[in-house]
Amino acid sequence: MYVIVTYDITDDKRLNKVRKVLKKYLYWCQLSTFEGEISEGKLEKCKSEIFDIINFEEDSIYFFEVKNPKNIVKKVIGIEKNYMDNIL
């Protein structure tokens, strides 16, 4: 399935931990957004790791699960960020 994840984490320490977990599973496309193909099992593992990090009283994470990625049209206005370019 295709997943889009957005988040709002209030603490920088937790933010970096969440970002590190998401980088293991998905493509970092904007500062608070990840996307990509992932199996249901890996998605559940990713969620489990994140649940151990976040503060449920302060943070929020949205998982948009798309069963058929052919139904998504992505249009970027301006520069398309590619954080993978920074990795050697």
Side-chain angles (χ1 to χ4, degrees), residues 30-74:
Q30 282 201 332
L31 288 177
S32 296
T33 308
F34 282 77
E35 64 181 50
E37 286 286 334
I38 190 169
S39 70
E40 288 188 37
K42 285 186 179 179
L43 179 58
E44 289 308 312
K45 185 169 172 36
C46 177
K47 286 179 181 179
S48 175
E49 290 179 41
I50 289 170
F51 289 168
D52 290 341
I53 297 168
I54 67 169
N55 179 329
F56 287 87
E57 302 292 321
E58 298 177 8
D59 304 330
S60 62
I61 300 185
Y62 291 79
F63 290 87
F64 299 93
E65 299 177 14
V66 182
K67 302 296 182 185
N68 185 355
K70 293 179 183 178
N71 292 336
I72 292 180
V73 177
K74 179 180 172 182

Side-chain angles (χ1 to χ4, degrees), residues 2 7 19 26-35 74-87:
Y2 194 83
Y7 54 88
R19 188 177 292 144
L26 298 165
Y27 166 72
W28 191 17
C29 60
Q30 282 201 332
L31 288 177
S32 296
T33 308
F34 282 77
E35 64 181 50
K74 179 180 172 182
K75 296 183 181 184
V76 178
I77 297 174
I79 229 172
E80 184 168 8
K81 300 189 181 204
N82 184 353
Y83 291 100
M84 297 303 287
D85 286 346
N86 296 333
I87 300 172

